[in-house]
Amino acid sequence: MRNSHTLYVGLDVHKDSMAVAYVANAHDADVTFLGTIGTRQVDIDQLVRKLHSKAPHLVFVYEAGPCGYWLSRDLTKPGHLCWVVAPSLIPKTPGDRVKTDRRDAGQLARLMRSGDLTPVYVPQVSDRHLLPLLGLMVSRDPREYAVSPTPGRQEWHLHGDTVIKDPWILAPSPLPS
């Protein structure tokens, strides 16, 4: 691999492991699968040091999922660029049904280099105070919230027959017995 100034790093993130692949900025560069690493901070720091020796500028990308945004925050803290992309916004070729961690990580790196990905907003830790104002439920149990008696202009249908009017005016209620 020639000396490149930028490496695009695709991560396929799971609870206990991450598959890592990278590709250089050069158009004719091939995707290199680095392997699978753990999700501990030590493993991530070691990966960043290893890749930083190959290129000074690192661009990371991974799919949004149930693991949250902690990885994006950890990678952007030292100044690296990290995109989180929605799985539904990743271009896929028709008939490509085989999914492996290696192929997903390589595809993310390749698509990031070509500019075919769209990032999603990564909320900062300081944004947590806005959750009740936006009507986003902090609790996982929707029965803990009931609509206040204020007449609403908008209805949201959640979890079957549950209707929420004015989702920004959610008030805690006791669980039904």
Side-chain angles (χ1 to χ4, degrees), residues 8-13 18-24 29-35 61-63 90-91 96 99-114 117:
Y8 295 97
V9 184
L11 304 170
D12 192 29
V13 181
M18 282 188 273
V20 182
Y22 67 90
V23 63
D30 292 329
V31 175
T32 304
F33 181 68
L34 200 58
V61 61
Y62 71 95
E63 287 183 12
I90 297 173
D96 187 18
K99 285 185 57 78
T100 64
D101 296 346
R102 181 183 185 135
R103 287 180 70 179
D104 287 348
Q107 181 187 23
L108 285 171
R110 190 179 307 110
L111 290 171
M112 184 68 182
R113 179 184 65 181
S114 66
L117 295 176

Side-chain angles (χ1 to χ4, degrees), residues 15-18 37-46 70-71 74:
K15 179 182 175 185
D16 298 324
S17 65
M18 282 188 273
I37 64 167
T39 56
R40 298 178 306 164
Q41 186 65 41
V42 176
D43 300 329
I44 296 166
D45 292 341
Q46 186 179 15
W70 63 269
L71 181 60
D74 286 349

Side-chain angles (χ1 to χ4, degrees), residues 77-94:
K77 197 179 300 180
H80 303 294
L81 182 63
C82 182
W83 276 18
V84 180
V85 296
S88 61
L89 298 178
I90 297 173
K92 293 182 175 43
T93 57

